[in-house]
Amino acid sequence: MIRAIIIGLLASAATVTAEIGARQLLVLREERAAASPQRETEARKTHEINVPRIKDGAVKGYAVMLLSYTVDLGALKTAAMAPDSILVDEAFRYVYDDDTIDFDHMDRFDFAKMGKALIHAVNARVKGDVLLDVGVQEFTYAPISDTRARPGSPAVE
């Protein structure tokens, strides 16, 4: 008889302890969810951006860029305007205005610096932290001699 009472008490204690533990776990999960809201983001990419390189009053070639970027969808809803066309404009301005870019040695170009500058400029223009990251998918340079040559015709010199 005493054995049955002890087993009953132990079972009741285990049930009460499990109930308290489950309730505490739910409270901790709710606190964690409230403390760190997840950003809803979306990855996008630009169309091909062609930037002319002008030297001594003549076009010497074209820089061709393709950028990928991440936007915060929550901030996008409250932004003054969408960042898509502004990013293309800022990337064009960055490359066009920077005379220090050596297109013969692209390995020396600081893409991280360009990405940070683009993020800062775009977010300033849209008045919000909409743009989170910018990546360079393609960045090439085509000299004017290569762009004038057509398939099946001799190169213009």
Side-chain angles (χ1 to χ4, degrees), residues 5 8 11 20 28 31 33-34 56 59 66 74-75 97 107 119 136 142-143 150 157:
I5 293 174
I20 292 171
L28 289 174
E31 287 176 1
D56 300 326
V59 176
L66 186 63
D97 292 340
D107 56 330
I119 291 170
V136 178
R150 303 281 185 245
E157 294 183 23

Side-chain angles (χ1 to χ4, degrees), residues 1-15:
M1 180 77 176
I2 292 180
R3 188 180 216 187
I5 293 174
I6 291 175
I7 291 175
L9 288 174
L10 286 176
S12 297
T15 304

Side-chain angles (χ1 to χ4, degrees), residues 87 90 94 110-124 131-136:
L87 175 62
E90 289 294 337
Y94 187 89
D110 191 359
F111 290 108
K113 178 182 171 188
M114 181 182 81
K116 288 178 185 175
L118 291 176
I119 291 170
H120 178 69
V122 170
N123 284 339
L131 198 62
L132 301 176
D133 188 32
V134 173
V136 178

Side-chain angles (χ1 to χ4, degrees), residues 71-114:
V71 293
D72 183 350
L73 295 176
L76 183 62
K77 292 175 185 174
T78 61
M81 60 185 73
D84 305 65
S85 58
I86 295 172
L87 175 62
V88 171
D89 179 58
E90 289 294 337
F92 183 93
R93 289 179 191 207
Y94 187 89
V95 174
Y96 187 81
D97 292 340
D98 191 356
D99 292 332
T100 62
I101 300 173
D102 184 5
F103 289 102
D104 294 327
H105 301 284
M106 290 303 295
D107 56 330
R108 297 179 189 159
F109 185 66
D110 191 359
F111 290 108
K113 178 182 171 188
M114 181 182 81

Side-chain angles (χ1 to χ4, degrees), residues 19-75:
E19 175 81 21
I20 292 171
R23 197 173 287 162
Q24 185 65 26
L25 181 65
L26 289 174
V27 168
L28 289 174
R29 280 188 181 172
E30 288 175 5
E31 287 176 1
R32 183 176 172 195
S36 62
Q38 294 291 335
R39 282 187 174 175
E40 190 175 346
T41 61
E42 181 178 82
R44 298 178 180 181
K45 66 180 184 177
T46 65
H47 61 281
E48 200 171 75
I49 306 167
N50 297 309
V51 182
R53 294 301 292 169
I54 299 173
K55 196 172 198 179
D56 300 326
V59 176
K60 299 297 182 184
Y62 292 91
V64 181
M65 293 183 290
L66 186 63
L67 304 175
S68 61
Y69 57 100
T70 306
V71 293
D72 183 350
L73 295 176

